[in-house]
C-alpha cells in the first residue's frame, strides 16, 4: 500500500485530495495546523483505518515515521482576506514549510507535488497565461506575501529537483471552487452565494469588468492526480479556461439562487488582477486532461452545499479566529 502525506489536509483542496487518495487505495496522512483549515472537512475520514491526522504546523520541522511515497504540499492560506490577516504565516508556509517538506521528500525518497498558483503571473500582461510567462507581480503589495512565497516555492522546488535529483511536480492552480470552501473567506463564489442566501446585495468590486475562469474541484483534483502520476517536472497550469467577467458572474449567481437582491459596487482591491485565464495546452498534451464540469453544473452543487448551512452559520461573520496565531 502506497503512503501519501497531504499538508493542508483540513482545507478545501486538501480535504478533497484526502478523499481521492483514500478512494485510490492509499494510506493517507493528513497534516494541518488548522489556522484556516477545519476538521469538519475530514471528520468523515476519522473512522477509516487508512487515514491518520497530524495536527502540526509545517513551518517547523516535519517528522513522519516510516516510509512515505508521495507528498502533496497544499498548506497555505489562499484568499486575499487571509493574506491581509495572516501575512507572515502565509510567507512562512510557502517558504519555510516548503523547505521542510522538500527535506522530508529527500529523506524519504518521495515524490513531491507542490501547490503553486496563477498568482505567480500577478496582474498578467499576457493572455491567456501560459507556463512560459514570467508574470507581473507587485512584491510589496497586499498579495505579495502569497505571490512571492509561491514564486520562491517554485524556485526551491526546482533547485531540489536539479541539485538533489528529487522527483518534483509543480501545479499552477487557477481559481477553483466547490463544496467545503469557507463561507466567509472573502473569495467571490462563497461571497456571492452567502450574500444571496442571507438576502444581501451582491458586492461586485470595481466595475466588474475583471475576469476569472472557475474550475470545479473534481476537475481540479483529477488534474492534480494525473500530474502527480506523470513524469513532468516543470510547472503545469491546472484550471478551467472558460472565462467570465465578475459582473456577468454576479448575474449568473442571481439567476442560480433566485435572489431578489441587486448588485452593488465596492472599491476594487489593490493589485486585483484584471484578467485571468489558463492556457491548458500543456495539461491537455502531457496529462490528457481537461475540465469536464460546466460552470452551471458545478455552481448548482456548490449552491446546494451552502444551502445546507444553518441560519446561525450563515450569519456568523467568520468562524475562524486568527488572533491566537498572531504574535504582537
Ligand atoms: N470579488 C468581488 N466581490 C466579492 C469578492 C470578490 O467582486 O465580494 C472579485 C475580486 O475583486 C476579484 C474576483 O472577484 O476580481 C475573484 O476574487 P477572489 O478573491 O475569489 O479570487 P482572486 O482575486 O484571488 O482570483
Amino acid at each position: 500500500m502506497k503512503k501519501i502525506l497531504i499538508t493542508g489536509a483540513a482545507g478545501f483542496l486538501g480535504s478533497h485530495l484526502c478523499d481521492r487518495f483514500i478512494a485510490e487505495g492509499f494510506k493517507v496522512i493528513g497534516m494541518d495546523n488548522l489556522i484556516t483549515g477545519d476538521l469538519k472537512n475530514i471528520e468523515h475520514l476519522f473512522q477509516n483505518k487508512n487515514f491518520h491526522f497530524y495536527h502540526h504546523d509545517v513551518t517547523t520541522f516535519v517528522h513522519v515515521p516510516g516510509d512515505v511515497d508521495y507528498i502533496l504540499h497544499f498548506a497555505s492560506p489562499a484568499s486575499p482576506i487571509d493574506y491581509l490577516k495572516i501575512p507572515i504565516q502565509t510567507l512562512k508556509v510557502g517558504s519555510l514549510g516548503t523547505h521542510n517538506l522538500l527535506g522530508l521528500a529527500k529523506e524519504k525518497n518521495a515524490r513531491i507535488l507542490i501547490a503553486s498558483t496563477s498568482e505567480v503571473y500577478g496582474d498578467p500582461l499576457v493572455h491567456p497565461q501560459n507556463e512560459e510567462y514570467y508574470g507581473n507581480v507587485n512584491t510589496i503589495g497586499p498579495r505579495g506575501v502569497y505571490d512571492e512565497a509561491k514564486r520562491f516555492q517554485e524556485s526551491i522546488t526546482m533547485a531540489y529537483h536539479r541539485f538533489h535529483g528529487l522527483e518534483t511536480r509543480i501545479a499552477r492552480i487557477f481559481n477553483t471552487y466547490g463544496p467545503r470552501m469557507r463561507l466567509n473567506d472573502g473569495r467571490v463564489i462563497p461571497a456571492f452565494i452567502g450574500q444571496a442566501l442571507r438576502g444581501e446585495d451582491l458586492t461586485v468590486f470595481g466595475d466588474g469588468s475583471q475576469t476569472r475562469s472557475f474550475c470545479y474541484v473534481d476537475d481540479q483534483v483529477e488534474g492534480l492526480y494525473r500530474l502527480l502520476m506523470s513524469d513532468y517536472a516543470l510547472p503545469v497550469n491546472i484550471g478551467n479556461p472558460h472565462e467570465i467577467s465578475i459582473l456577468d458572474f454576479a448575474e449568473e449567481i442571481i439567476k442560480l439562487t433566485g435572489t431578489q437582491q441587486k448588485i452593488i459596487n465596492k472599491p476594487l482591491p489593490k493589485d486585483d488582477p484584471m484578467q485571468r485565464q489558463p492556457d491548458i495546452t500543456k495539461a491537455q498534451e502531457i496529462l490528457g486532461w481537461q475540465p469536464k464540469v460546466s460552470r452551471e453544473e458545478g455552481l448548482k452543487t456548490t449552491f446546494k452545499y451552502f444551502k445546507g448551512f444553518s441560519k446561525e452559520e450563515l450569519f456568523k461573520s467568520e468562524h475562524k479566529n486568527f488572533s491566537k496565531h498572531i504574535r504582537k
Side-chain angles (χ1 to χ4, degrees):
M1 210 172 193
K2 297 279 184 200
K3 191 150 100 189
I4 185 165
L5 168 67
I6 302 179
T7 75
F12 164 51
L13 280 180
S15 66
H16 284 282
L17 287 163
C18 288
D19 286 343
R20 175 64 188 263
F21 281 88
I22 285 286
E24 295 285 343
F26 284 68
K27 222 177 202 6
V28 175
I29 299 179
M31 194 173 274
D32 206 298
N33 66 357
L34 303 177
I35 295 189
T36 58
D38 195 324
L39 285 180
K40 237 181 28 202
N41 293 333
I42 46 171
E43 66 188 4
H44 59 284
L45 293 174
F46 289 162
Q47 298 308 316
N48 192 310
K49 65 179 186 345
N50 293 325
F51 183 76
H52 297 275
F53 179 71
Y54 290 6
H55 185 188
H56 181 71
D57 179 346
V58 297
T59 65
T60 64
F61 187 82
V62 182
H63 172 71
V64 177
D67 292 342
V68 176
D69 301 289
Y70 299 99
I71 298 173
L72 296 178
H73 182 28
F74 277 69
S76 177
S79 91
I81 285 190
D82 291 347
Y83 317 148
L84 290 175
K85 288 187 187 161
I86 41 174
I88 296 167
Q89 286 81 357
T90 304
L91 279 159
K92 282 171 74 177
V93 74
S95 54
L96 307 181
T98 303
H99 186 211
N100 287 333
L101 291 158
L102 288 165
L104 181 73
K106 181 165 146 276
E107 170 70 24
K108 304 282 187 186
N109 205 11
R111 182 183 296 177
I112 179 168
L113 182 149
I114 59 128
S116 187
T117 165
S118 53
E119 283 286 319
V120 299
Y121 302 123
D123 190 4
L125 306 175
V126 161
H127 196 73
Q129 293 80 54
N130 61 51
E131 291 86 347
E132 274 65 53
Y133 178 49
Y134 292 164
N136 176 37
V137 170
N138 175 6
T139 57
I140 58 167
R143 289 172 178 256
V145 296
Y146 183 65
D147 300 7
E148 289 303 330
K150 292 292 188 182
R151 288 168 68 96
F152 172 84
Q153 182 184 50
E154 290 197 5
S155 301
I156 192 171
T157 300
M158 286 311 295
Y160 267 72
H161 174 66
R162 293 190 173 119
F163 189 75
H164 290 304
L166 196 68
E167 283 196 47
T168 57
R169 307 284 178 265
I170 299 174
R172 289 191 180 148
I173 298 171
F174 282 65
N175 294 66
T176 298
Y177 70 98
R180 302 186 194 155
M181 290 186 95
R182 260 159 60 215
L183 180 65
N184 292 311
D185 75 355
R187 280 182 291 180
V188 69
I189 293 185
F192 283 174
I193 292 180
Q195 287 162 347
L197 287 171
R198 289 189 296 265
E200 297 167 5
D201 291 335
L202 271 60
T203 53
V204 165
F205 296 165
D207 62 5
S209 62
Q210 72 272 32
T211 68
R212 291 296 183 274
S213 310
F214 298 108
C215 183
Y216 188 64
V217 63
D218 291 356
D219 283 333
Q220 181 63 240
V221 164
E222 178 62 28
L224 294 168
Y225 185 84
R226 289 189 189 206
L227 179 59
L228 180 68
M229 295 309 164
S230 79
D231 58 5
Y232 192 75
L234 295 174
V236 179
N237 290 339
I238 310 279
N240 188 322
H242 200 171
E243 184 180 3
I244 185 170
S245 77
I246 294 300
L247 185 59
D248 289 347
F249 184 64
E251 301 283 2
E252 263 189 23
I253 297 285
I254 287 176
K255 242 196 235 147
L256 167 80
T257 58
T259 175
Q260 301 298 309
Q261 303 302 126
K262 57 183 191 307
I263 291 171
I264 54 169
N265 295 92
K266 291 265 171 110
L268 189 68
K270 185 163 168 44
D271 297 334
D272 199 287
M274 277 315 292
Q275 47 180 8
R276 188 182 281 157
Q277 186 202 112
D279 178 335
I280 60 163
T281 311
K282 264 196 185 174
Q284 283 169 322
E285 286 175 359
I286 298 167
L287 312 178
W289 172 87
Q290 63 183 26
K292 289 195 183 129
V293 182
S294 68
R295 204 167 49 234
E296 196 187 352
E297 201 184 328
L299 283 175
K300 255 191 210 155
T301 314
T302 309
F303 181 45
K304 204 168 143 206
Y305 169 76
F306 285 117
K307 261 202 302 203
F309 279 37
S310 66
K311 249 204 156 84
E312 200 193 354
E313 282 172 310
L314 273 181
F315 283 89
K316 227 191 280 173
S317 60
E318 167 67 270
H319 64 287
K320 283 280 156 200
N321 177 9
F322 295 133
S323 58
K324 67 176 187 283
H325 300 284
I326 298 172
R327 274 193 230 143
K328 294 264 162 34

